[in-house]
Amino acid sequence: MARRGERRAERGRPAPARTEAAPAVGSGVAIVVATPGDAVALLASRQSGPVVGIVCAGPGGAEERAALDRAVEDCGRRGVRVAGEPRVLDAEKGRITAGVLDALRELRPLRVHTLDPDPAHVSFDAEAKRPVIAEPPLRGSVARATIAAARTYQRERRSPVFVHCHRAGADPRLGTQACARHPLPARWLVTGVDGRLSAYLPSAAGVLRWTERLRGSGEWDGPELLEGPDLLPGLTVVQDAHGYVHLFGLRRTRRADGKDHVDVVQTTQYQSGRPVGPWHSVGNPNGNDRSKGREVGFPSAVFDAGGNLHVFVRNFGHGVSTRRQTPNGTWSGWQHLRAVPVADELIALPAEPGGAEVWARARESASVVRWYREGPKGDWLADTTSAVSPAPGTLSAAPEAGTLRYRYSGSNEVCVEVRGAGPVSLAGADGAGPVAGAAGVDIQGWSCTVLARSGEAGACSVGAHADGQPESGVWWFDAGEVSLVPPAVAVDGHGHAVVAVLGADGRLRIARQEPVASGLALTRWTTVGAHMDI
């Protein structure tokens, strides 16, 4: 192991082969963990890509170091390069953030991977009235320090940096989205009231926004770092019936009692390219108990036909909590929905006739539970009879009310749950993560839904089917670009499909539908916006 930036082999044994080349500016990956053993699963999730640098807060034991050496050797066989020996900070308590920041300055990564800053409890000590956390305290401390250091690092370099927090113990073979503590949005490309497109993605320092200068012009501004609080690295993007864009996230703040508190926050984008409104707290269903509240899940939200906003989160007890905001701005209290324990994966959907519902992946089985209401004033009811069996990290909303997309846990193929007809396969078993879609696209006189997803090694795959007829089948094709995030698709102000990816260099790339093509075809990819100076 190395100490304070040094690189050396452990005495008495040869070091595994590692490249000594440092990552290029803004292209590499940094893995920042408490001890070497924590890096093993994160390395296993790397199948390709740029050079990886490893940073550990402590040296760990001999068994951990040996496991990491084996993981590095496995990376070499897959063609993944690891830069030198891991850097060991040996930072004093209270100095971890500074140590991580120094390491990031040296490694110059585009992406930073760490573990969960708020590890989940395994039980509750009723006598002490506090959760029991099985994970070593240093794991959470290092993750929180890494988020803070990456935020500062991005502001220093004035260029995007992306942080991914992985749940400890999650199966790395399922992909980054399945292991994420703070998920990336499946829908992050939207068309504003004026017909201009905007893209929103979470970064280490906050939400990044790219905006079309003119409708359909192909010229964009951004990335622009939106003003706001210090958010945790995830984002939910929702659009209301007026076309306004609502952004949701989690915020960690230190209060007067000197302790960190986590709450759900929300802001609204009324006009494309203009400043967003103030960020408002939506609260936390376990907000009265900091030790419970820090585990709150990432929010999902939807508007019903009456203009009511419904926000859903996974709560401390692995149930679902919801609250509602009326069109006049009045919030209800938190209501707790019970059925079966759920994972931190919720998708809120508009429901028929004009209501709202939420789907959650079950925590202890490959199934889902759906909560819905019979009428706008009815009680929330749970439905556990669905045949949906999703792979983790794959739930997304389809355009039709109450319709869900996911990857089937048994085969990884893309499916859509059609109400009254059950699951329909859309093929596309390669890749991982959710599927994005946009309806109402004219393809040779047919109104169609265009789909975009991650394929093999992050390649963007695109397909289409007739609106409301997924059973007609989907022909997928490789769109010729890779994406670091789930690809997005939207309909622009001229009614054409537009597909967006985040390229391997962290820059936004756009491909538009060829309107005169036979079938669905895309233009060449265009890199849009600036590269530096956010």
Short mmCIF file of all heavy atoms in Angstrom, two decimals, residues 348-404:
data_model
loop_
_atom_site.label_atom_id
_atom_site.label_comp_id
_atom_site.label_asym_id
_atom_site.label_seq_id
_atom_site.Cartn_x
_atom_site.Cartn_y
_atom_site.Cartn_z
N ALA A 348 -43.07 7.08 -9.48
CA ALA A 348 -44.41 7.66 -9.40
C ALA A 348 -44.94 7.89 -10.81
O ALA A 348 -44.21 8.38 -11.69
CB ALA A 348 -44.37 8.97 -8.62
N LEU A 349 -46.21 7.55 -11.03
CA LEU A 349 -46.81 7.62 -12.37
C LEU A 349 -48.17 8.30 -12.30
O LEU A 349 -48.87 8.22 -11.29
CB LEU A 349 -47.04 6.22 -12.94
CG LEU A 349 -45.91 5.20 -12.95
CD1 LEU A 349 -46.46 3.85 -13.39
CD2 LEU A 349 -44.82 5.65 -13.90
N PRO A 350 -48.56 8.98 -13.38
CA PRO A 350 -49.97 9.38 -13.47
C PRO A 350 -50.82 8.13 -13.65
O PRO A 350 -50.40 7.16 -14.30
CB PRO A 350 -50.01 10.26 -14.73
CG PRO A 350 -48.82 9.85 -15.53
CD PRO A 350 -47.77 9.41 -14.54
N ALA A 351 -51.99 8.12 -13.06
CA ALA A 351 -52.86 6.95 -13.11
C ALA A 351 -54.20 7.32 -13.73
O ALA A 351 -54.58 8.49 -13.80
CB ALA A 351 -53.08 6.39 -11.70
N GLU A 352 -54.90 6.34 -14.21
CA GLU A 352 -56.24 6.55 -14.73
C GLU A 352 -57.24 6.46 -13.59
O GLU A 352 -57.07 5.64 -12.67
CB GLU A 352 -56.56 5.49 -15.79
CG GLU A 352 -55.69 5.59 -17.04
CD GLU A 352 -56.03 4.53 -18.07
OE1 GLU A 352 -56.71 3.54 -17.67
OE2 GLU A 352 -55.63 4.67 -19.21
N PRO A 353 -58.30 7.26 -13.54
CA PRO A 353 -58.57 8.36 -14.48
C PRO A 353 -58.11 9.69 -13.87
O PRO A 353 -58.86 10.31 -13.09
CB PRO A 353 -60.07 8.32 -14.63
CG PRO A 353 -60.56 7.82 -13.28
CD PRO A 353 -59.46 6.97 -12.69
N GLY A 354 -56.91 10.11 -14.15
CA GLY A 354 -56.42 11.40 -13.70
C GLY A 354 -55.79 11.42 -12.33
O GLY A 354 -55.54 12.48 -11.77
N GLY A 355 -55.52 10.26 -11.75
CA GLY A 355 -54.94 10.20 -10.41
C GLY A 355 -53.44 10.03 -10.44
O GLY A 355 -52.75 10.38 -11.40
N ALA A 356 -52.91 9.47 -9.36
CA ALA A 356 -51.47 9.22 -9.22
C ALA A 356 -51.29 7.87 -8.55
O ALA A 356 -52.14 7.42 -7.79
CB ALA A 356 -50.80 10.32 -8.41
N GLU A 357 -50.16 7.24 -8.84
CA GLU A 357 -49.81 5.98 -8.19
C GLU A 357 -48.31 5.88 -8.09
O GLU A 357 -47.57 6.64 -8.73
CB GLU A 357 -50.38 4.79 -8.96
CG GLU A 357 -49.84 4.62 -10.38
CD GLU A 357 -50.53 3.50 -11.13
OE1 GLU A 357 -51.76 3.32 -10.91
OE2 GLU A 357 -49.87 2.80 -11.91
N VAL A 358 -47.85 4.96 -7.26
CA VAL A 358 -46.42 4.76 -7.11
C VAL A 358 -46.13 3.27 -7.09
O VAL A 358 -46.88 2.49 -6.49
CB VAL A 358 -45.88 5.44 -5.83
CG1 VAL A 358 -46.51 4.86 -4.57
CG2 VAL A 358 -44.36 5.36 -5.75
N TRP A 359 -45.07 2.88 -7.80
CA TRP A 359 -44.59 1.50 -7.81
C TRP A 359 -43.27 1.45 -7.06
O TRP A 359 -42.44 2.35 -7.19
CB TRP A 359 -44.35 1.02 -9.25
CG TRP A 359 -45.58 0.93 -10.11
CD1 TRP A 359 -46.32 1.98 -10.58
CD2 TRP A 359 -46.18 -0.25 -10.62
NE1 TRP A 359 -47.37 1.52 -11.35
CE2 TRP A 359 -47.29 0.14 -11.40
CE3 TRP A 359 -45.89 -1.61 -10.52
CZ2 TRP A 359 -48.11 -0.76 -12.06
CZ3 TRP A 359 -46.70 -2.52 -11.18
CH2 TRP A 359 -47.80 -2.11 -11.94
N ALA A 360 -43.06 0.40 -6.30
CA ALA A 360 -41.82 0.22 -5.55
C ALA A 360 -41.33 -1.21 -5.72
O ALA A 360 -42.13 -2.16 -5.66
CB ALA A 360 -42.03 0.52 -4.06
N ARG A 361 -40.04 -1.33 -5.92
CA ARG A 361 -39.46 -2.67 -5.98
C ARG A 361 -39.38 -3.24 -4.57
O ARG A 361 -38.97 -2.56 -3.63
CB ARG A 361 -38.07 -2.62 -6.61
CG ARG A 361 -37.40 -3.99 -6.74
CD ARG A 361 -36.14 -3.91 -7.60
NE ARG A 361 -35.17 -2.99 -7.06
CZ ARG A 361 -34.29 -3.30 -6.12
NH1 ARG A 361 -34.27 -4.52 -5.58
NH2 ARG A 361 -33.42 -2.40 -5.69
N ALA A 362 -39.81 -4.49 -4.40
CA ALA A 362 -39.78 -5.13 -3.09
C ALA A 362 -38.35 -5.34 -2.63
O ALA A 362 -37.44 -5.57 -3.44
CB ALA A 362 -40.53 -6.45 -3.12
N ARG A 363 -38.14 -5.29 -1.35
CA ARG A 363 -36.79 -5.41 -0.79
C ARG A 363 -36.34 -6.86 -0.66
O ARG A 363 -35.15 -7.15 -0.77
CB ARG A 363 -36.76 -4.74 0.60
CG ARG A 363 -35.40 -4.68 1.26
CD ARG A 363 -35.45 -3.75 2.46
NE ARG A 363 -34.14 -3.61 3.08
CZ ARG A 363 -33.79 -4.14 4.24
NH1 ARG A 363 -34.67 -4.87 4.92
NH2 ARG A 363 -32.59 -3.95 4.74
N GLU A 364 -37.27 -7.75 -0.47
CA GLU A 364 -36.92 -9.14 -0.16
C GLU A 364 -37.32 -10.13 -1.24
O GLU A 364 -37.23 -11.35 -1.03
CB GLU A 364 -37.55 -9.52 1.19
CG GLU A 364 -37.05 -8.65 2.34
CD GLU A 364 -37.86 -8.81 3.61
OE1 GLU A 364 -38.90 -9.51 3.55
OE2 GLU A 364 -37.48 -8.24 4.64
N SER A 365 -37.77 -9.65 -2.39
CA SER A 365 -38.14 -10.55 -3.49
C SER A 365 -38.08 -9.76 -4.80
O SER A 365 -38.07 -8.54 -4.80
CB SER A 365 -39.55 -11.12 -3.28
OG SER A 365 -40.51 -10.08 -3.32
N ALA A 366 -38.03 -10.49 -5.91
CA ALA A 366 -37.99 -9.86 -7.23
C ALA A 366 -39.41 -9.54 -7.67
O ALA A 366 -39.94 -10.12 -8.63
CB ALA A 366 -37.29 -10.77 -8.23
N SER A 367 -40.04 -8.63 -6.97
CA SER A 367 -41.42 -8.27 -7.26
C SER A 367 -41.63 -6.79 -6.97
O SER A 367 -40.69 -6.09 -6.59
CB SER A 367 -42.38 -9.12 -6.40
OG SER A 367 -42.15 -8.89 -5.02
N VAL A 368 -42.85 -6.33 -7.15
CA VAL A 368 -43.17 -4.92 -6.91
C VAL A 368 -44.46 -4.82 -6.11
O VAL A 368 -45.24 -5.77 -6.01
CB VAL A 368 -43.35 -4.14 -8.23
CG1 VAL A 368 -42.05 -4.07 -9.02
CG2 VAL A 368 -44.47 -4.73 -9.08
N VAL A 369 -44.66 -3.65 -5.54
CA VAL A 369 -45.94 -3.31 -4.93
C VAL A 369 -46.38 -1.97 -5.50
O VAL A 369 -45.55 -1.09 -5.74
CB VAL A 369 -45.84 -3.27 -3.38
CG1 VAL A 369 -44.80 -2.27 -2.92
CG2 VAL A 369 -47.20 -2.94 -2.75
N ARG A 370 -47.66 -1.84 -5.75
CA ARG A 370 -48.22 -0.61 -6.32
C ARG A 370 -49.23 -0.04 -5.34
O ARG A 370 -50.09 -0.75 -4.83
CB ARG A 370 -48.90 -0.90 -7.66
CG ARG A 370 -49.58 0.31 -8.30
CD ARG A 370 -50.18 -0.06 -9.66
NE ARG A 370 -51.34 -0.92 -9.52
CZ ARG A 370 -52.62 -0.49 -9.57
NH1 ARG A 370 -52.88 0.81 -9.72
NH2 ARG A 370 -53.62 -1.34 -9.46
N TRP A 371 -49.12 1.27 -5.08
CA TRP A 371 -50.11 1.97 -4.28
C TRP A 371 -50.90 2.90 -5.18
O TRP A 371 -50.32 3.62 -6.02
CB TRP A 371 -49.46 2.78 -3.16
CG TRP A 371 -48.99 1.96 -1.99
CD1 TRP A 371 -49.73 1.60 -0.90
CD2 TRP A 371 -47.69 1.43 -1.77
NE1 TRP A 371 -48.97 0.87 -0.02
CE2 TRP A 371 -47.70 0.75 -0.52
CE3 TRP A 371 -46.50 1.46 -2.50
CZ2 TRP A 371 -46.58 0.12 0.00
CZ3 TRP A 371 -45.38 0.83 -1.99
CH2 TRP A 371 -45.42 0.16 -0.75
N TYR A 372 -52.19 2.92 -5.01
CA TYR A 372 -53.08 3.74 -5.84
C TYR A 372 -54.26 4.19 -4.98
O TYR A 372 -54.47 3.71 -3.87
CB TYR A 372 -53.57 2.95 -7.05
CG TYR A 372 -54.47 1.78 -6.67
CD1 TYR A 372 -55.86 1.88 -6.73
CD2 TYR A 372 -53.92 0.57 -6.23
CE1 TYR A 372 -56.67 0.81 -6.36
CE2 TYR A 372 -54.72 -0.50 -5.87
CZ TYR A 372 -56.10 -0.37 -5.93
OH TYR A 372 -56.91 -1.41 -5.56
N ARG A 373 -55.03 5.13 -5.51
CA ARG A 373 -56.22 5.61 -4.81
C ARG A 373 -57.43 5.49 -5.73
O ARG A 373 -57.34 5.73 -6.92
CB ARG A 373 -56.05 7.07 -4.39
CG ARG A 373 -54.96 7.27 -3.37
CD ARG A 373 -55.11 8.61 -2.66
NE ARG A 373 -55.07 9.74 -3.58
CZ ARG A 373 -55.31 11.00 -3.21
NH1 ARG A 373 -55.63 11.28 -1.95
NH2 ARG A 373 -55.24 11.97 -4.08
N GLU A 374 -58.54 5.12 -5.16
CA GLU A 374 -59.80 5.08 -5.91
C GLU A 374 -60.50 6.43 -5.74
O GLU A 374 -61.27 6.64 -4.83
CB GLU A 374 -60.68 3.94 -5.41
CG GLU A 374 -60.11 2.56 -5.70
CD GLU A 374 -61.03 1.45 -5.25
OE1 GLU A 374 -61.88 1.71 -4.37
OE2 GLU A 374 -60.90 0.31 -5.76
N GLY A 375 -60.15 7.35 -6.63
CA GLY A 375 -60.69 8.70 -6.56
C GLY A 375 -59.73 9.65 -5.87
O GLY A 375 -58.87 9.24 -5.09
N PRO A 376 -59.85 10.96 -6.14
CA PRO A 376 -58.90 11.95 -5.61
C PRO A 376 -58.88 12.06 -4.10
O PRO A 376 -57.89 12.52 -3.52
CB PRO A 376 -59.36 13.26 -6.26
CG PRO A 376 -60.78 13.02 -6.67
CD PRO A 376 -60.88 11.58 -7.00
N LYS A 377 -59.95 11.64 -3.43
CA LYS A 377 -60.00 11.73 -1.97
C LYS A 377 -59.99 10.36 -1.30
O LYS A 377 -60.18 10.26 -0.08
CB LYS A 377 -61.24 12.51 -1.54
CG LYS A 377 -61.24 13.96 -1.99
CD LYS A 377 -62.46 14.70 -1.46
CE LYS A 377 -62.44 16.17 -1.92
NZ LYS A 377 -63.62 16.92 -1.39
N GLY A 378 -59.75 9.32 -2.09
CA GLY A 378 -59.76 7.98 -1.53
C GLY A 378 -58.50 7.65 -0.77
O GLY A 378 -57.48 8.37 -0.83
N ASP A 379 -58.55 6.59 0.00
CA ASP A 379 -57.38 6.13 0.74
C ASP A 379 -56.40 5.44 -0.21
O ASP A 379 -56.78 4.91 -1.25
CB ASP A 379 -57.80 5.13 1.83
CG ASP A 379 -58.64 5.78 2.91
OD1 ASP A 379 -58.48 6.99 3.15
OD2 ASP A 379 -59.47 5.07 3.51
N TRP A 380 -55.13 5.44 0.18
CA TRP A 380 -54.13 4.73 -0.59
C TRP A 380 -54.29 3.23 -0.36
O TRP A 380 -54.37 2.77 0.79
CB TRP A 380 -52.72 5.17 -0.19
CG TRP A 380 -52.35 6.54 -0.68
CD1 TRP A 380 -52.37 7.70 0.02
CD2 TRP A 380 -51.92 6.87 -2.00
NE1 TRP A 380 -51.98 8.76 -0.77
CE2 TRP A 380 -51.69 8.27 -2.02
CE3 TRP A 380 -51.69 6.14 -3.17
CZ2 TRP A 380 -51.25 8.93 -3.17
CZ3 TRP A 380 -51.27 6.80 -4.31
CH2 TRP A 380 -51.04 8.18 -4.30
N LEU A 381 -54.34 2.48 -1.44
CA LEU A 381 -54.50 1.03 -1.39
C LEU A 381 -53.27 0.36 -1.99
O LEU A 381 -52.68 0.86 -2.95
CB LEU A 381 -55.75 0.60 -2.16
CG LEU A 381 -57.07 1.25 -1.71
CD1 LEU A 381 -58.19 0.84 -2.65
CD2 LEU A 381 -57.40 0.86 -0.28
N ALA A 382 -52.88 -0.79 -1.44
CA ALA A 382 -51.72 -1.52 -1.93
C ALA A 382 -52.15 -2.69 -2.80
O ALA A 382 -53.10 -3.42 -2.48
CB ALA A 382 -50.89 -2.04 -0.75
N ASP A 383 -51.43 -2.88 -3.91
CA ASP A 383 -51.66 -4.00 -4.81
C ASP A 383 -50.35 -4.77 -4.93
O ASP A 383 -49.35 -4.24 -5.44
CB ASP A 383 -52.11 -3.48 -6.17
CG ASP A 383 -52.24 -4.60 -7.21
OD1 ASP A 383 -52.26 -5.78 -6.81
OD2 ASP A 383 -52.31 -4.28 -8.41
N THR A 384 -50.34 -6.00 -4.45
CA THR A 384 -49.13 -6.83 -4.51
C THR A 384 -49.29 -7.98 -5.49
O THR A 384 -48.53 -8.95 -5.44
CB THR A 384 -48.80 -7.38 -3.11
OG1 THR A 384 -49.91 -8.16 -2.64
CG2 THR A 384 -48.52 -6.26 -2.14
N THR A 385 -50.27 -7.90 -6.39
CA THR A 385 -50.58 -9.02 -7.28
C THR A 385 -49.92 -8.91 -8.64
O THR A 385 -50.07 -9.80 -9.48
CB THR A 385 -52.09 -9.13 -7.48
OG1 THR A 385 -52.57 -7.94 -8.14
CG2 THR A 385 -52.81 -9.30 -6.16
N SER A 386 -49.18 -7.83 -8.90
CA SER A 386 -48.60 -7.63 -10.23
C SER A 386 -47.59 -8.73 -10.56
O SER A 386 -46.86 -9.22 -9.69
CB SER A 386 -47.92 -6.27 -10.33
OG SER A 386 -47.21 -6.14 -11.54
N ALA A 387 -47.52 -9.08 -11.85
CA ALA A 387 -46.55 -10.07 -12.31
C ALA A 387 -45.20 -9.45 -12.64
O ALA A 387 -44.28 -10.16 -13.07
CB ALA A 387 -47.09 -10.77 -13.56
N VAL A 388 -45.06 -8.15 -12.43
CA VAL A 388 -43.79 -7.47 -12.72
C VAL A 388 -42.70 -8.02 -11.81
O VAL A 388 -42.86 -8.07 -10.58
CB VAL A 388 -43.94 -5.95 -12.53
CG1 VAL A 388 -42.57 -5.27 -12.60
CG2 VAL A 388 -44.86 -5.38 -13.57
N SER A 389 -41.59 -8.44 -12.41
CA SER A 389 -40.43 -8.96 -11.66
C SER A 389 -39.19 -8.23 -12.17
O SER A 389 -38.51 -8.69 -13.08
CB SER A 389 -40.29 -10.47 -11.86
OG SER A 389 -39.17 -10.98 -11.16
N PRO A 390 -38.88 -7.06 -11.58
CA PRO A 390 -37.85 -6.22 -12.16
C PRO A 390 -36.44 -6.52 -11.66
O PRO A 390 -36.24 -6.89 -10.50
CB PRO A 390 -38.28 -4.82 -11.71
CG PRO A 390 -38.89 -5.07 -10.36
CD PRO A 390 -39.56 -6.43 -10.45
N ALA A 391 -35.46 -6.37 -12.55
CA ALA A 391 -34.07 -6.33 -12.11
C ALA A 391 -33.84 -5.02 -11.39
O ALA A 391 -34.43 -3.99 -11.75
CB ALA A 391 -33.15 -6.45 -13.32
N PRO A 392 -33.01 -4.99 -10.35
CA PRO A 392 -32.78 -3.74 -9.61
C PRO A 392 -32.27 -2.63 -10.51
O PRO A 392 -31.49 -2.85 -11.43
CB PRO A 392 -31.72 -4.14 -8.58
CG PRO A 392 -31.90 -5.62 -8.39
CD PRO A 392 -32.30 -6.14 -9.74
N GLY A 393 -32.75 -1.41 -10.24
CA GLY A 393 -32.28 -0.24 -10.95
C GLY A 393 -32.85 -0.07 -12.34
O GLY A 393 -32.26 0.65 -13.15
N THR A 394 -34.01 -0.68 -12.64
CA THR A 394 -34.52 -0.63 -14.02
C THR A 394 -35.93 -0.08 -14.15
O THR A 394 -36.44 0.02 -15.27
CB THR A 394 -34.48 -2.04 -14.65
OG1 THR A 394 -35.41 -2.90 -13.99
CG2 THR A 394 -33.08 -2.64 -14.57
N LEU A 395 -36.60 0.28 -13.07
CA LEU A 395 -37.96 0.80 -13.17
C LEU A 395 -37.96 2.18 -13.83
O LEU A 395 -37.13 3.03 -13.52
CB LEU A 395 -38.60 0.91 -11.80
CG LEU A 395 -38.83 -0.39 -11.01
CD1 LEU A 395 -39.50 -0.06 -9.68
CD2 LEU A 395 -39.65 -1.39 -11.80
N SER A 396 -38.91 2.41 -14.73
CA SER A 396 -39.10 3.74 -15.32
C SER A 396 -40.54 3.86 -15.78
O SER A 396 -41.26 2.86 -15.94
CB SER A 396 -38.14 3.99 -16.49
OG SER A 396 -38.38 3.09 -17.55
N ALA A 397 -40.98 5.09 -16.01
CA ALA A 397 -42.36 5.36 -16.39
C ALA A 397 -42.51 5.33 -17.90
O ALA A 397 -41.69 5.88 -18.63
CB ALA A 397 -42.79 6.73 -15.85
N ALA A 398 -43.57 4.69 -18.38
CA ALA A 398 -43.94 4.73 -19.79
C ALA A 398 -44.93 5.89 -19.99
O ALA A 398 -45.51 6.40 -19.03
CB ALA A 398 -44.54 3.41 -20.21
N PRO A 399 -45.13 6.33 -21.25
CA PRO A 399 -45.99 7.51 -21.48
C PRO A 399 -47.44 7.32 -21.06
O PRO A 399 -48.08 8.26 -20.58
CB PRO A 399 -45.88 7.73 -22.99
CG PRO A 399 -44.64 7.03 -23.41
CD PRO A 399 -44.50 5.86 -22.49
N GLU A 400 -47.98 6.11 -21.26
CA GLU A 400 -49.39 5.89 -20.96
C GLU A 400 -49.61 5.85 -19.44
O GLU A 400 -48.78 5.35 -18.69
CB GLU A 400 -49.88 4.58 -21.58
CG GLU A 400 -49.80 4.55 -23.10
CD GLU A 400 -48.40 4.23 -23.61
OE1 GLU A 400 -47.57 3.74 -22.80
OE2 GLU A 400 -48.12 4.47 -24.79
N ALA A 401 -50.73 6.37 -18.99
CA ALA A 401 -51.04 6.42 -17.56
C ALA A 401 -50.98 5.02 -16.95
O ALA A 401 -51.54 4.06 -17.50
CB ALA A 401 -52.41 7.04 -17.34
N GLY A 402 -50.31 4.90 -15.82
CA GLY A 402 -50.24 3.64 -15.11
C GLY A 402 -49.41 2.57 -15.77
O GLY A 402 -49.55 1.39 -15.44
N THR A 403 -48.53 2.94 -16.70
CA THR A 403 -47.75 1.95 -17.45
C THR A 403 -46.29 2.04 -17.05
O THR A 403 -45.71 3.13 -16.99
CB THR A 403 -47.90 2.16 -18.96
OG1 THR A 403 -49.28 2.19 -19.29
CG2 THR A 403 -47.22 1.06 -19.73
N LEU A 404 -45.68 0.89 -16.79
CA LEU A 404 -44.34 0.81 -16.22
C LEU A 404 -43.41 0.07 -17.17
O LEU A 404 -43.78 -0.93 -17.78
CB LEU A 404 -44.41 0.05 -14.89
CG LEU A 404 -43.14 -0.04 -14.05
CD1 LEU A 404 -42.89 1.28 -13.34
CD2 LEU A 404 -43.30 -1.17 -13.03
#
